[in-house]
Amino acid sequence: MRNLLSTTIVAGALAMGSLGAAGLATAAVPAGPSNVTTTINGLKADGFDVIVNRVGTAPLSACSIGAVRPGHQVTRTDSGFPGDSLTTAVISKTVYVDLTC
């Protein structure tokens, strides 16, 4: 069960990265307090800068995920040398995780 949940989280995070904002809005958010740190760590492992919006003062272990929302993505377009074709690289990508504690 735990491996299935981890696979679902990773698959959701990969879908978010490839689909952009639409992927974040439609990705499944796991339920339960033990999945908060797993979700956050999974998103960080996938290269996201994670910003946590937390409502309540309970410990993190007592929190649940309300939403995972897209944030700003920073890209850089460069040709390398004059005359080369342009390439665009993602420098950073942000995601917001809403918690209820």
Side-chain angles (χ1 to χ4, degrees), residues 38-78:
T38 304
T39 301
I40 291 171
N41 291 336
L43 289 167
K44 286 181 180 181
D46 289 336
F48 287 95
D49 296 324
V50 178
I51 298 176
V52 176
N53 297 313
R54 185 174 173 168
V55 176
T57 58
L60 193 60
S61 61
C63 297
S64 61
I65 298 174
V68 177
R69 300 178 292 117
H72 189 69
Q73 182 173 352
V74 178
T75 59
R76 181 180 88 191
T77 303
D78 192 6

